[in-house]
Every structure is written in structure tokens, then in C-alpha cells.
Amino acid sequence: MSEQPVSQQAPVAGGADLRPRVEKLLGDILGLMGFPARLDMQDAADGSLSVALHFEAGPPPGVEQGRRSQVLDSLQFLLNKMLHRPGVDRRWVVLGCGAHPEPRQRREPQQPQAAAEKAPAQQAAAPAPKAQAAPPPPPAKQQAQRGADKQAQRGAASKAQADGDERTLAVEEDAALREAVRKLAEKSASLGRFYALAAMKQDDRARVLKAVEGVVGLKVAAEGEGRNRRVVFTPEKPAPLPKRSLLPDDDEDDFDE
């Protein structure tokens, strides 16, 4: 049973029937994940619905109490996709582990007209400084600076190449990882299922890409940037999921936005 403290704020449109739906969907999803949790809901200051997840047997891997994680971000994205139908008022739901998440600070955009009026006033108040040519550095310093610039350019090019294709990295083979990844690749090709491996280091992504070489029936590539970069398994012959495996209230119209 979820705890629903009474909020002192005015009710938000669409909030009357939102909490039961959130409780039902989250309960089903967390149950399928194998990590049931007690839900503590309250109205946030920014108008969203804040939900604190108190896991009964400990949080899932990659989730820490009081901190954001890719697991909770993905679960939050999926939940809001399932809750919000096209053409209806939307109310965002935010998730936190063991506590309510802190509201994010939003920066107000500067008005173009006010900024344009402020710039001429500042230019008129402050006299224009006289341009002074900087003295050229000594020849030794010029050579050292050119060498440092070239080295920085080579390092940036090397990093860009590594981020673009991890297959070019030289890494030591991990036998256990290679065996597990090849089994996953063969399963993706035979069943026609899409899989993705996230939250991996660059070296591990390189090991995964090298391990699946030679597996027929699918394409494996690294996609995304930064912490969202992941290895995606794409079968050549995708197969639709059976209806009984779809999540409750799942609607293909939610993904046509």
C-alpha cells in the first residue's frame, strides 16, 4: 500500500486519477523486474508527482539511495510514456530511490529585447579600450607552443576516433565476457530480438564488438555519446513480441509521437 501524504498545494489537472495508475504500472513493472518496492507519493513544488521507491529487498544493480542513475532515468521515461496519451493534459512523474528526488533548477531564458537594450548602454558607459599588440613570444617558446598544440590535436583526433569506433582500440580479451556476449548475439539473431548493453566502459565496449565478430544474422554497433553510449544488437530478421509479454496499458500509439 502506497503512502499518499496530503499536499498543501492546489490540485493539478489530471492528478485525480494519476496516482492509482502510477501505483498500478510501477507495481507491475517492478514486479516483472523482480524488485518490488513500497511507493511514497507526494506533489512536488514544480507541479510534478514525486515518487520515492523503497525497495523491499534492496535496490536493483546500478541504483543507489538518494542518487540518480540510468536505471531510474529509463524507468521514469518508460512510465511517463505509458501514462501520457496524445491530446490530454500531462503531468510529469519523477522517481527517486529511498527519498524524493530534488527538483531540477530551470534557467529562465534572457529576453532578446532586454539584452539588446542592455548591450548599447554598457558600450556607451565604458570607453573602448585601445588595442595593443601583444609582444611576440621568444622563438623557443613559439616552438614549445607549436609542439603542445600538435600533441593536443593528435590526442583529440585519437579520442574522436576511439569514440567513433571502439573496434580500433587494442584491448586484452576477456574469455568470460566473450562467451556471454556471443551467446547473447546468437540469441538475438535466432529469436529476432533487439538487445542493448549500457553503462559500460570504453574498453568493455571494444571487447564486446570484437567478441561478436563472425556471428551471422545480426548487426552490432556502438551508438550514443557520453554516458548514454551503448552497444546495440540489431537482428537482420526482427520478430514481433508476443502479446502476453507486453507491459500493462502498453499502447503503440504512445510511441508514434
Side-chain angles (χ1 to χ4, degrees):
M1 183 66 66
S2 64
E3 300 178 2
Q4 302 179 1
V6 179
S7 172
Q8 301 297 330
Q9 303 176 356
V12 180
D17 60 343
L18 183 63
R19 294 192 179 195
R21 295 183 63 200
V22 171
E23 183 176 3
K24 177 65 168 60
L25 290 175
L26 266 182
D28 292 341
I29 295 174
L30 295 175
L32 292 173
M33 292 173 59
F35 293 94
R38 178 174 58 86
L39 310 182
D40 179 13
M41 306 185 194
Q42 71 178 22
D43 297 331
D46 58 358
S48 61
L49 179 62
S50 176
V51 183
L53 306 178
H54 300 278
F55 293 97
E56 299 176 359
V63 178
E64 298 182 15
Q65 184 170 350
R67 300 186 61 181
R68 291 184 58 197
S69 66
Q70 291 185 341
V71 177
L72 284 187
D73 287 349
S74 301
L75 181 59
Q76 178 177 294
F77 174 81
L78 175 63
L79 177 64
N80 282 281
K81 266 290 187 181
M82 299 172 66
L83 287 171
H84 298 149
R85 305 297 189 194
V88 299
D89 294 337
R90 299 190 175 194
R91 186 182 181 192
W92 193 253
V93 180
V94 293
L95 305 180
C97 176
H100 291 279
E102 296 182 359
R104 300 183 182 180
Q105 299 294 333
R106 296 185 178 180
R107 298 178 60 183
E108 296 295 336
Q110 187 178 8
Q111 296 296 332
Q113 183 177 1
E117 294 176 354
K118 185 177 180 181
Q122 291 179 348
Q123 294 176 0
K130 295 182 179 180
Q132 295 181 355
K141 289 186 177 181
Q142 289 181 351
Q143 294 179 0
Q145 183 65 33
R146 286 197 295 267
D149 293 342
K150 290 182 179 179
Q151 185 175 2
Q153 292 176 358
R154 287 195 296 267
S158 177
K159 184 179 184 300
Q161 182 180 6
D163 288 342
D165 188 2
E166 284 83 348
R167 300 177 194 270
T168 60
L169 295 180
V171 294
E172 295 182 1
E173 180 179 346
D174 187 329
L177 178 62
R178 173 183 172 82
E179 182 180 357
V181 169
R182 289 190 68 87
K183 288 183 179 180
L184 181 62
E186 294 172 355
K187 182 178 179 181
S188 174
S190 61
L191 299 180
R193 297 286 186 262
F194 292 82
Y195 296 103
L197 299 178
M200 301 183 71
K201 295 182 179 180
Q202 189 181 55
D203 292 348
D204 290 335
R205 291 197 298 268
R207 293 186 178 94
V208 171
L209 293 174
K210 294 178 183 296
V212 298
E213 293 179 355
V215 179
V216 298
L218 81 161
K219 175 185 177 183
V220 184
E223 300 178 359
E225 297 179 357
R227 70 170 189 170
N228 295 324
R229 193 163 176 81
R230 60 199 179 278
V231 180
V232 180
F233 294 71
T234 304
E236 294 180 356
K237 298 180 180 180
L241 287 172
K243 292 185 178 180
R244 63 176 180 275
S245 65
L246 296 178
L247 293 173
D249 289 349
D250 194 6
D251 192 344
E252 293 182 357
D253 293 338
D254 293 345
F255 301 92
D256 294 338
E257 302 179 21

